[in-house]
Amino acid sequence: MRIVLAGGGTAGHVEPALAVAREFRNRDASTEILLVGTSHGIENQLVPEAGFDLAHINKLSFPRRISPAVILWPFRFVNILVQSLAIVAKSDAVIGFGGYVSAPIYLA
């Protein structure tokens, strides 16, 4: 079984994901567990310390002002969605815990 847990940015997203990951590991040590975050969040410290694998997708916030970023946003989102599709491929379950990574992982 392969389970993807998505959540990052703050400990409020990462700690619940780690708690669920630990429970899956306790129930069946053969379960493959992958956590997804960004390269900038606290998950980069907490997840490896807990002994789990971590995959990254790019962080993308929605522009709050009219600017060229508004035009580029859909293209960047598609790129992140492609990253997410590669991560969730062949997974049996995906669980999200919030943060910038959850929406693209849910859609994938």
XYZ file of all heavy atoms in Angstrom:
816
model
N 0.853 -1.173 0.000
C 0.000 0.000 0.000
C 0.897 1.234 0.000
O 1.912 1.275 0.674
C -0.907 -0.008 1.235
C -1.754 1.248 1.314
S -2.789 1.345 2.772
C -4.120 0.307 2.268
N 0.494 2.254 -0.751
C 1.230 3.516 -0.820
C 0.288 4.653 -0.461
O -0.768 4.818 -1.076
C 1.791 3.739 -2.219
C 2.610 5.005 -2.336
C 3.309 5.058 -3.703
N 4.311 6.083 -3.729
C 4.162 7.275 -4.318
N 3.047 7.561 -4.941
N 5.130 8.154 -4.304
N 0.695 5.450 0.526
C -0.130 6.555 1.002
C 0.662 7.847 0.884
O 1.826 7.919 1.289
C -0.562 6.328 2.455
C -1.403 5.058 2.530
C -1.324 7.525 2.994
C -1.749 4.624 3.916
N 0.024 8.871 0.333
C 0.619 10.195 0.210
C -0.088 11.128 1.187
O -1.317 11.211 1.195
C 0.498 10.740 -1.232
C 0.979 12.172 -1.317
C 1.262 9.853 -2.193
N 0.694 11.813 2.006
C 0.175 12.777 2.965
C 0.694 14.154 2.572
O 1.906 14.351 2.474
C 0.628 12.428 4.382
C 0.288 11.015 4.861
C 0.908 10.747 6.220
C -1.207 10.813 4.908
N -0.202 15.094 2.328
C 0.182 16.426 1.865
C -0.130 17.466 2.924
O -1.246 17.542 3.415
C -0.557 16.767 0.570
N 0.866 18.246 3.251
C 0.668 19.330 4.206
C 1.992 19.959 4.541
O 2.971 19.251 4.796
N 2.056 21.246 4.505
C 3.341 21.861 4.793
C 3.234 23.331 5.079
O 2.163 23.922 5.035
N 4.375 23.880 5.388
C 4.472 25.301 5.656
C 4.624 25.596 7.134
O 5.540 26.284 7.548
N 3.713 25.052 7.942
C 3.758 25.304 9.380
C 3.626 23.975 10.123
O 3.149 22.975 9.571
C 2.607 26.223 9.841
O 1.373 25.528 9.702
C 2.581 27.527 9.049
N 4.010 23.990 11.383
C 3.874 22.793 12.205
C 2.404 22.401 12.370
O 2.090 21.225 12.566
C 4.530 23.011 13.566
N 1.505 23.366 12.255
C 0.077 23.081 12.346
C -0.425 22.187 11.231
O -1.456 21.522 11.379
N 0.274 22.164 10.100
C -0.057 21.261 8.999
C 0.773 19.983 9.081
O 0.287 18.897 8.775
C 0.210 21.924 7.650
C -0.568 23.170 7.408
N -1.943 23.210 7.373
C -0.159 24.441 7.189
C -2.342 24.457 7.141
N -1.279 25.221 7.032
N 2.022 20.121 9.474
C 2.960 19.002 9.416
C 2.772 18.023 10.569
O 2.781 16.798 10.358
C 4.416 19.521 9.378
C 5.405 18.359 9.355
C 4.630 20.420 8.169
N 2.597 18.502 11.779
C 2.488 17.603 12.933
C 1.297 16.645 12.822
O 1.449 15.449 13.109
C 2.442 18.400 14.240
C 3.757 19.041 14.611
C 4.877 18.050 14.947
O 4.616 16.845 15.141
O 6.034 18.493 15.007
N 0.101 17.100 12.404
C -0.992 16.125 12.225
C -0.681 15.094 11.140
O -1.025 13.917 11.271
C -2.194 16.989 11.826
C -1.875 18.344 12.343
C -0.381 18.480 12.242
N -0.017 15.523 10.070
C 0.367 14.581 9.014
C 1.326 13.530 9.560
O 1.204 12.339 9.248
C 0.996 15.337 7.835
N 2.275 13.963 10.384
C 3.216 13.016 10.974
C 2.523 12.057 11.937
O 2.867 10.874 12.000
C 4.351 13.764 11.683
C 5.357 14.440 10.762
C 6.334 15.285 11.578
C 6.099 13.411 9.925
N 1.540 12.544 12.679
C 0.796 11.671 13.589
C 0.069 10.577 12.814
O 0.091 9.403 13.203
C -0.190 12.490 14.419
N -0.546 10.946 11.687
C -1.238 9.958 10.854
C -0.217 9.006 10.226
O -0.437 7.784 10.175
C -2.093 10.664 9.784
C -2.620 9.682 8.746
C -3.237 11.415 10.449
N 0.905 9.523 9.779
C 1.951 8.680 9.198
C 2.447 7.650 10.210
O 2.615 6.464 9.882
C 3.111 9.541 8.707
N 2.662 8.082 11.431
C 3.115 7.156 12.486
C 2.076 6.056 12.735
O 2.422 4.891 12.934
C 3.403 7.919 13.773
C 4.661 8.739 13.718
C 4.946 9.424 15.065
N 5.986 10.410 14.913
C 5.808 11.722 14.862
N 4.583 12.235 14.977
N 6.824 12.544 14.702
N 0.809 6.442 12.726
C -0.249 5.453 12.953
C -0.302 4.429 11.821
O -0.439 3.228 12.065
C -1.606 6.134 13.132
C -2.713 5.181 13.486
C -2.509 4.422 14.788
O -1.801 4.925 15.699
O -3.054 3.303 14.899
N -0.186 4.883 10.580
C -0.135 3.939 9.455
C 1.066 3.015 9.600
O 0.954 1.813 9.363
C -0.058 4.672 8.109
C -1.390 5.086 7.563
C -1.701 6.430 7.396
C -2.342 4.145 7.198
C -2.923 6.826 6.881
C -3.578 4.524 6.682
C -3.864 5.874 6.529
N 2.215 3.559 9.972
C 3.429 2.755 10.141
C 3.237 1.733 11.267
O 3.655 0.590 11.136
C 4.629 3.641 10.437
C 5.916 2.833 10.605
C 7.065 3.697 11.039
N 7.626 4.369 9.878
C 8.506 5.359 9.963
N 8.893 5.806 11.138
N 8.993 5.907 8.886
N 2.602 2.148 12.374
C 2.364 1.227 13.488
C 1.429 0.088 13.100
O 1.586 -1.039 13.565
C 1.783 1.970 14.694
C 2.794 2.870 15.356
O 4.002 2.699 15.206
N 2.313 3.861 16.093
N 0.454 0.376 12.264
C -0.519 -0.650 11.871
C 0.039 -1.620 10.847
O -0.327 -2.791 10.835
C -1.793 -0.005 11.335
C -2.589 0.674 12.421
C -3.819 1.356 11.860
N -4.500 2.065 12.920
C -5.781 1.897 13.205
N -6.514 1.048 12.517
N -6.322 2.580 14.175
N 0.886 -1.118 9.946
C 1.463 -1.981 8.911
C 2.797 -1.382 8.472
O 2.831 -0.413 7.718
C 0.511 -2.097 7.725
C 1.000 -3.051 6.648
O 2.120 -3.585 6.763
O 0.252 -3.250 5.674
N 3.871 -1.969 8.934
C 5.215 -1.443 8.648
C 5.570 -1.504 7.167
O 6.478 -0.805 6.720
C 6.257 -2.202 9.470
N 4.851 -2.304 6.383
C 5.155 -2.403 4.952
C 4.501 -1.292 4.126
O 4.771 -1.164 2.931
C 4.723 -3.763 4.407
O 3.311 -3.872 4.424
N 3.651 -0.480 4.748
C 3.000 0.612 4.038
C 4.033 1.665 3.643
O 4.820 2.117 4.467
C 1.919 1.269 4.911
O 0.943 0.289 5.236
C 1.243 2.418 4.181
N 4.037 2.027 2.372
C 4.924 3.085 1.885
C 4.239 4.424 2.147
O 3.121 4.655 1.688
C 5.189 2.923 0.392
C 6.132 3.944 -0.171
C 6.314 3.817 -1.683
O 5.950 2.769 -2.246
O 6.805 4.776 -2.280
N 4.917 5.285 2.886
C 4.345 6.574 3.261
C 5.230 7.676 2.707
O 6.441 7.689 2.930
C 4.232 6.706 4.788
C 3.330 5.585 5.336
C 3.698 8.081 5.174
C 3.388 5.432 6.821
N 4.609 8.603 1.985
C 5.328 9.732 1.407
C 4.624 11.018 1.823
O 3.417 11.151 1.625
C 5.361 9.633 -0.118
C 6.013 10.790 -0.860
C 7.512 10.867 -0.538
C 5.798 10.650 -2.355
N 5.358 11.931 2.403
C 4.810 13.239 2.743
C 5.222 14.231 1.670
O 6.318 14.128 1.106
C 5.287 13.694 4.120
C 4.548 12.994 5.269
C 5.256 11.735 5.672
C 4.378 13.912 6.431
N 4.341 15.176 1.377
C 4.590 16.180 0.350
C 4.557 17.558 0.983
O 3.658 17.876 1.764
C 3.541 16.113 -0.784
C 3.858 17.125 -1.863
C 3.467 14.715 -1.366
N 5.543 18.375 0.639
C 5.619 19.742 1.135
C 6.335 20.619 0.121
O 6.517 20.231 -1.023
N 6.733 21.791 0.562
C 7.519 22.683 -0.282
C 8.952 22.688 0.234
O 9.244 22.192 1.322
C 6.972 24.123 -0.261
O 7.205 24.699 1.019
C 5.491 24.157 -0.603
N 9.835 23.261 -0.522
C 11.244 23.287 -0.115
C 11.515 24.370 0.921
O 12.636 24.480 1.406
C 12.137 23.490 -1.333
O 11.833 24.713 -1.960
N 10.494 25.157 1.301
C 10.706 26.284 2.209
C 10.098 26.109 3.596
O 10.366 26.898 4.481
C 10.146 27.572 1.592
C 10.720 27.883 0.254
N 12.023 28.253 0.073
C 10.163 27.855 -0.970
C 12.252 28.447 -1.217
N 11.137 28.209 -1.870
N 9.270 25.095 3.800
C 8.542 24.979 5.056
C 9.274 24.173 6.115
O 10.307 23.553 5.876
N 8.682 24.151 7.289
C 9.241 23.435 8.433
C 9.243 21.926 8.212
O 9.954 21.187 8.899
C 8.505 23.818 9.728
C 9.328 23.376 10.932
C 7.097 23.236 9.747
C 8.887 24.002 12.234
N 8.471 21.459 7.234
C 8.452 20.032 6.929
C 9.833 19.499 6.566
O 10.140 18.328 6.767
C 7.442 19.707 5.817
C 7.682 20.389 4.504
C 6.991 21.743 4.387
O 6.690 22.379 5.421
O 6.759 22.174 3.257
N 10.685 20.378 6.049
C 12.041 19.965 5.666
C 12.886 19.571 6.873
O 13.870 18.851 6.728
C 12.718 21.079 4.874
C 12.043 21.255 3.547
O 12.196 20.445 2.652
N 11.239 22.299 3.434
N 12.515 20.015 8.022
C 13.193 19.628 9.253
C 12.443 18.480 9.944
O 13.043 17.476 10.318
C 13.290 20.814 10.205
C 13.922 20.481 11.539
C 13.892 21.665 12.496
O 13.558 22.782 12.122
N 14.223 21.403 13.733
N 11.129 18.634 10.105
C 10.351 17.692 10.910
C 10.182 16.314 10.265
O 10.255 15.292 10.954
C 8.976 18.289 11.221
C 8.966 19.571 12.047
C 7.541 20.079 12.225
C 9.634 19.355 13.402
N 9.952 16.281 8.970
C 9.678 15.001 8.308
C 10.906 14.084 8.309
O 10.806 12.926 8.731
C 9.112 15.223 6.885
C 9.008 13.913 6.123
C 7.746 15.900 6.971
N 12.083 14.556 7.874
C 13.249 13.662 7.937
C 13.602 13.234 9.366
O 13.988 12.085 9.594
C 14.381 14.492 7.327
C 13.695 15.500 6.470
C 12.399 15.799 7.181
N 13.440 14.147 10.317
C 13.705 13.786 11.717
C 12.791 12.667 12.200
O 13.174 11.860 13.041
C 13.533 15.000 12.639
C 14.653 16.008 12.557
C 14.410 17.242 13.424
O 13.364 17.317 14.101
O 15.274 18.133 13.397
N 11.575 12.617 11.656
C 10.618 11.580 12.027
C 10.840 10.286 11.248
O 10.188 9.273 11.519
C 9.194 12.082 11.807
N 11.743 10.308 10.270
C 12.070 9.100 9.531
C 11.185 8.794 8.341
O 11.113 7.647 7.899
N 10.541 9.810 7.781
C 9.682 9.606 6.619
C 10.275 10.289 5.386
O 11.039 11.249 5.503
C 8.271 10.160 6.885
C 7.533 9.400 7.932
C 7.448 9.884 9.224
C 6.929 8.190 7.637
C 6.772 9.188 10.207
C 6.250 7.482 8.615
C 6.174 7.978 9.904
N 9.885 9.795 4.219
C 10.315 10.396 2.960
C 9.503 11.651 2.697
O 8.314 11.722 3.024
C 10.130 9.413 1.801
C 11.061 8.215 1.906
O 12.176 8.371 2.454
O 10.675 7.133 1.443
N 10.147 12.624 2.053
C 9.510 13.904 1.746
C 9.725 14.242 0.279
O 10.850 14.228 -0.204
C 10.101 15.012 2.628
C 9.608 16.435 2.385
C 8.124 16.557 2.728
C 10.431 17.421 3.212
N 8.633 14.523 -0.417
C 8.696 15.002 -1.795
C 8.315 16.481 -1.789
O 7.573 16.937 -0.916
C 7.733 14.215 -2.680
N 8.820 17.209 -2.778
C 8.545 18.645 -2.861
C 7.761 18.990 -4.119
O 7.973 18.397 -5.169
C 9.853 19.449 -2.910
C 10.634 19.384 -1.651
N 11.833 18.735 -1.568
C 10.386 19.886 -0.428
C 12.299 18.843 -0.339
N 11.434 19.533 0.380
N 6.874 19.960 -3.968
C 6.290 20.634 -5.116
C 6.517 22.125 -4.901
O 6.788 22.567 -3.783
C 4.787 20.319 -5.321
C 3.949 20.789 -4.136
C 4.589 18.843 -5.600
C 2.444 20.641 -4.364
N 6.418 22.884 -5.967
C 6.623 24.328 -5.859
C 5.485 24.978 -5.087
O 4.345 24.536 -5.153
C 6.726 24.965 -7.241
C 7.967 24.524 -7.978
O 8.962 24.131 -7.381
N 7.903 24.569 -9.293
N 5.821 26.031 -4.395
C 4.825 26.819 -3.656
C 4.284 27.897 -4.595
O 5.037 28.565 -5.289
C 5.487 27.467 -2.440
C 4.588 28.358 -1.644
C 5.359 28.958 -0.474
C 4.528 29.973 0.265
N 5.277 30.574 1.379
N 2.964 28.059 -4.586
C 2.344 29.073 -5.435
C 1.159 29.682 -4.708
O 0.170 29.013 -4.443
C 1.873 28.457 -6.760
C 1.201 29.402 -7.739
C 2.173 30.474 -8.220
C 0.634 28.632 -8.913
N 1.289 30.945 -4.381
C 0.160 31.654 -3.788
C -0.541 32.452 -4.878
O 0.062 32.805 -5.893
C 0.631 32.575 -2.661
O 1.576 33.496 -3.142
N -1.816 32.725 -4.667
C -2.564 33.487 -5.657
C -2.226 34.970 -5.507
O -2.221 35.490 -4.388
C -4.075 33.267 -5.480
C -4.865 33.741 -6.654
C -4.943 32.973 -7.794
C -5.497 34.974 -6.622
C -5.664 33.417 -8.892
C -6.214 35.430 -7.717
C -6.290 34.633 -8.861
N -1.946 35.653 -6.615
C -1.615 37.081 -6.530
C -2.763 37.891 -5.928
O -3.924 37.676 -6.248
C -1.388 37.490 -7.987
C -1.176 36.226 -8.725
C -1.909 35.160 -7.976
N -2.422 38.812 -5.081
C -3.444 39.634 -4.410
C -3.672 40.978 -5.086
O -4.565 41.711 -4.714
C -3.039 39.848 -2.951
C -3.024 38.544 -2.201
C -2.593 38.731 -0.794
N -2.469 37.430 -0.146
C -2.673 37.224 1.110
N -3.003 38.211 1.905
N -2.537 36.027 1.615
N -2.835 41.281 -6.038
C -2.969 42.530 -6.800
C -2.887 42.219 -8.280
O -2.264 41.239 -8.686
C -1.840 43.494 -6.432
C -1.894 43.960 -5.003
C -0.804 44.999 -4.738
N -0.902 45.478 -3.379
C -0.121 45.073 -2.385
N 0.822 44.188 -2.616
N -0.273 45.561 -1.176
N -3.472 43.071 -9.077
C -3.373 42.896 -10.519
C -1.939 43.216 -10.933
O -1.414 44.304 -10.665
C -4.375 43.798 -11.256
C -5.787 43.348 -10.896
C -4.139 43.747 -12.761
C -6.875 44.176 -11.504
N -1.314 42.221 -11.549
C 0.073 42.334 -11.973
C 0.331 41.254 -13.019
O -0.534 40.411 -13.270
C 1.009 42.162 -10.773
O 0.982 40.822 -10.344
N 1.512 41.233 -13.606
C 1.830 40.147 -14.542
C 1.737 38.756 -13.891
O 1.499 37.770 -14.575
C 3.268 40.452 -14.972
C 3.395 41.935 -14.811
C 2.553 42.264 -13.608
N 1.888 38.696 -12.588
C 1.794 37.414 -11.888
C 0.414 36.784 -12.060
O 0.285 35.556 -12.062
C 2.115 37.600 -10.412
N -0.620 37.612 -12.232
C -1.978 37.093 -12.439
C -2.045 36.317 -13.753
O -2.687 35.267 -13.838
C -3.015 38.244 -12.431
C -4.387 37.757 -12.838
C -3.057 38.914 -11.069
N -1.379 36.816 -14.771
C -1.372 36.154 -16.079
C -0.557 34.861 -16.029
O -0.930 33.864 -16.634
C -0.814 37.108 -17.157
C -1.752 38.308 -17.291
C -0.639 36.401 -18.499
C -1.195 39.451 -18.094
N 0.523 34.871 -15.284
C 1.397 33.703 -15.210
C 0.873 32.629 -14.267
O 1.253 31.459 -14.383
C 2.797 34.132 -14.766
C 3.543 35.044 -15.731
C 4.858 35.503 -15.119
C 3.774 34.334 -17.060
N 0.006 33.003 -13.338
C -0.448 32.072 -12.322
C -1.016 30.772 -12.891
O -0.627 29.692 -12.434
C -1.481 32.743 -11.399
C -1.794 31.921 -10.194
C -1.175 31.963 -8.996
C -2.797 30.904 -10.086
N -1.726 31.047 -8.135
C -2.722 30.383 -8.784
C -3.741 30.382 -10.956
C -3.561 29.363 -8.341
C -4.580 29.370 -10.515
C -4.479 28.878 -9.215
N -1.912 30.777 -13.879
C -2.457 29.509 -14.375
C -1.387 28.582 -14.950
O -1.458 27.363 -14.774
C -3.452 29.926 -15.466
C -3.756 31.343 -15.201
C -2.551 31.925 -14.530
N -0.395 29.150 -15.597
C 0.665 28.330 -16.182
C 1.529 27.700 -15.092
O 1.919 26.538 -15.173
C 1.525 29.169 -17.135
C 0.732 29.746 -18.272
C 0.336 31.072 -18.248
C 0.342 28.953 -19.338
C -0.410 31.614 -19.281
C -0.405 29.478 -20.384
C -0.788 30.813 -20.356
N 1.799 28.460 -14.059
C 2.564 27.928 -12.930
C 1.766 26.850 -12.202
O 2.318 25.851 -11.754
C 2.958 29.051 -11.977
C 3.993 29.970 -12.576
C 4.394 31.068 -11.624
N 5.435 31.891 -12.223
C 5.727 33.100 -11.824
N 5.082 33.654 -10.814
N 6.688 33.781 -12.419
N 0.463 27.066 -12.085
C -0.374 26.073 -11.418
C -0.401 24.761 -12.197
O -0.337 23.683 -11.603
C -1.795 26.598 -11.201
C -2.625 25.672 -10.364
C -2.459 25.639 -8.985
C -3.545 24.817 -10.940
C -3.195 24.765 -8.196
C -4.287 23.941 -10.168
C -4.115 23.917 -8.792
N -0.476 24.839 -13.509
C -0.450 23.620 -14.326
C 0.870 22.879 -14.105
O 0.890 21.646 -13.989
C -0.681 23.944 -15.816
C -0.355 22.751 -16.697
C -2.115 24.393 -16.037
N 1.965 23.616 -14.029
C 3.266 22.996 -13.766
C 3.261 22.262 -12.419
O 3.735 21.131 -12.308
C 4.370 24.058 -13.794
C 5.727 23.480 -13.516
O 6.093 22.435 -14.047
N 6.491 24.149 -12.677
N 2.699 22.883 -11.403
C 2.625 22.258 -10.081
C 1.691 21.053 -10.114
O 1.941 20.039 -9.462
C 2.196 23.287 -9.020
C 3.307 24.333 -8.848
C 1.852 22.623 -7.697
C 2.923 25.533 -8.035
N 0.628 21.140 -10.881
C -0.292 20.013 -11.012
C 0.409 18.821 -11.660
O 0.212 17.676 -11.238
C -1.526 20.427 -11.815
C -2.694 19.468 -11.826
C -3.150 19.120 -10.417
C -3.845 20.053 -12.618
N 1.245 19.073 -12.646
C 2.022 17.997 -13.277
C 2.974 17.365 -12.256
O 3.100 16.136 -12.190
C 2.786 18.522 -14.515
C 3.791 17.506 -15.025
C 1.801 18.903 -15.615
N 3.635 18.201 -11.446
C 4.491 17.670 -10.377
C 3.676 16.778 -9.444
O 4.118 15.695 -9.051
C 5.106 18.807 -9.549
C 6.085 19.686 -10.258
C 6.484 20.890 -9.389
O 6.095 21.017 -8.229
N 7.268 21.777 -9.971
N 2.488 17.230 -9.096
C 1.628 16.507 -8.168
C 1.153 15.181 -8.751
O 1.091 14.165 -8.046
C 0.425 17.367 -7.781
O 0.847 18.551 -7.160
N 0.817 15.189 -10.031
C 0.383 13.949 -10.689
C 1.474 12.892 -10.615
O 1.190 11.716 -10.373
C -0.003 14.223 -12.141
C -1.347 14.905 -12.353
C -1.471 15.421 -13.781
C -2.486 13.969 -12.015
N 2.716 13.294 -10.823
C 3.823 12.342 -10.749
C 3.975 11.776 -9.345
O 4.303 10.598 -9.169
C 5.120 13.025 -11.186
N 3.710 12.588 -8.339
C 3.855 12.138 -6.953
C 2.746 11.181 -6.553
O 2.990 10.175 -5.885
C 3.910 13.354 -5.997
C 5.224 14.110 -6.203
C 3.736 12.928 -4.547
C 5.292 15.450 -5.508
N 1.517 11.461 -6.940
C 0.396 10.628 -6.493
C 0.154 9.408 -7.372
O -0.659 8.551 -7.016
C -0.915 11.434 -6.331
C -0.735 12.581 -5.355
C -1.437 11.918 -7.654
N 0.868 9.305 -8.477
C 0.692 8.151 -9.360
C 0.915 6.868 -8.571
O 1.835 6.766 -7.763
C 1.673 8.231 -10.528
N 0.037 5.916 -8.787
C 0.111 4.602 -8.157
C -0.053 4.635 -6.640
O 0.389 3.731 -5.941
C 1.398 3.893 -8.546
C 1.519 3.665 -10.042
C 2.783 2.940 -10.390
C 2.889 2.814 -11.905
N 4.131 2.211 -12.325
N -0.658 5.688 -6.132
C -0.942 5.747 -4.699
C -2.314 5.141 -4.432
O -3.213 5.227 -5.262
C -0.931 7.197 -4.207
O 0.361 7.725 -4.321
N -2.444 4.554 -3.266
C -3.724 3.973 -2.877
C -4.601 4.971 -2.143
O -5.820 4.841 -2.124
C -3.488 2.752 -1.985
C -2.759 1.659 -2.747
O -3.317 1.169 -3.740
O -1.628 1.313 -2.351
N -3.969 5.983 -1.519
C -4.727 6.991 -0.778
C -3.926 8.280 -0.732
O -2.702 8.264 -0.721
C -5.020 6.519 0.640
N -4.658 9.381 -0.712
C -4.063 10.714 -0.561
C -4.838 11.420 0.539
O -6.070 11.462 0.506
C -4.154 11.521 -1.875
C -3.666 12.943 -1.667
C -3.376 10.846 -2.983
N -4.095 11.965 1.501
C -4.725 12.680 2.611
C -4.048 14.038 2.724
O -2.822 14.121 2.735
C -4.569 11.910 3.939
C -5.133 10.496 3.801
C -5.255 12.665 5.076
C -4.802 9.585 4.967
N -4.842 15.085 2.811
C -4.296 16.436 2.900
C -4.485 17.041 4.272
O -5.467 16.755 4.963
N -3.537 17.891 4.647
C -3.550 18.538 5.956
C -3.415 20.052 5.848
O -3.136 20.717 6.829
C -2.426 17.965 6.830
C -2.632 16.514 7.131
C -2.159 15.543 6.265
C -3.334 16.131 8.256
C -2.375 14.205 6.531
C -3.549 14.786 8.525
C -3.068 13.823 7.654
N -3.606 20.593 4.662
C -3.578 22.032 4.481
C -2.229 22.561 4.037
O -1.262 21.835 3.900
N -2.199 23.834 3.807
C -0.994 24.485 3.294
C -1.047 24.568 1.777
O -1.988 24.096 1.130
N -0.015 25.167 1.206
C 0.029 25.385 -0.242
C 0.044 24.087 -1.047
O -0.338 24.081 -2.206
C 1.259 26.208 -0.623
C 1.160 27.657 -0.216
C 1.873 28.145 0.870
C 0.362 28.543 -0.926
C 1.796 29.476 1.240
C 0.260 29.873 -0.568
C 0.987 30.332 0.525
O 0.897 31.644 0.880
N 0.474 22.997 -0.467
C 0.621 21.762 -1.226
C -0.664 20.965 -1.360
O -0.788 20.140 -2.258
C 1.719 20.854 -0.622
C 3.046 21.551 -0.630
C 1.365 20.387 0.750
N -1.622 21.180 -0.509
C -2.797 20.314 -0.496
C -3.667 20.428 -1.742
O -4.070 19.403 -2.305
C -3.639 20.578 0.747
O -2.965 20.118 1.893
N -3.982 21.614 -2.194
C -4.897 21.770 -3.329
C -4.390 21.070 -4.592
O -5.145 20.303 -5.211
C -5.189 23.238 -3.598
N -3.143 21.283 -5.020
C -2.700 20.572 -6.218
C -2.647 19.059 -6.027
O -2.944 18.308 -6.952
C -1.303 21.134 -6.502
C -1.027 22.172 -5.497
C -2.162 22.256 -4.556
N -2.304 18.616 -4.824
C -2.275 17.175 -4.568
C -3.694 16.615 -4.614
O -3.927 15.547 -5.189
C -1.589 16.871 -3.225
C -0.103 17.210 -3.281
C -1.801 15.425 -2.809
C 0.737 16.338 -4.219
N -4.662 17.318 -4.046
C -6.069 16.872 -4.125
C -6.501 16.754 -5.586
O -7.139 15.782 -5.977
C -7.015 17.866 -3.451
C -6.928 17.962 -1.957
C -7.237 19.156 -1.322
C -6.580 16.881 -1.162
C -7.185 19.271 0.052
C -6.526 16.994 0.216
C -6.830 18.191 0.811
O -6.791 18.316 2.172
N -6.216 17.773 -6.380
C -6.634 17.754 -7.784
C -5.954 16.640 -8.560
O -6.559 16.042 -9.442
C -6.344 19.109 -8.435
C -7.230 20.251 -7.966
C -6.743 21.568 -8.543
C -8.676 19.998 -8.372
N -4.706 16.379 -8.242
C -3.982 15.297 -8.940
C -4.614 13.961 -8.627
O -4.709 13.086 -9.447
C -2.506 15.312 -8.534
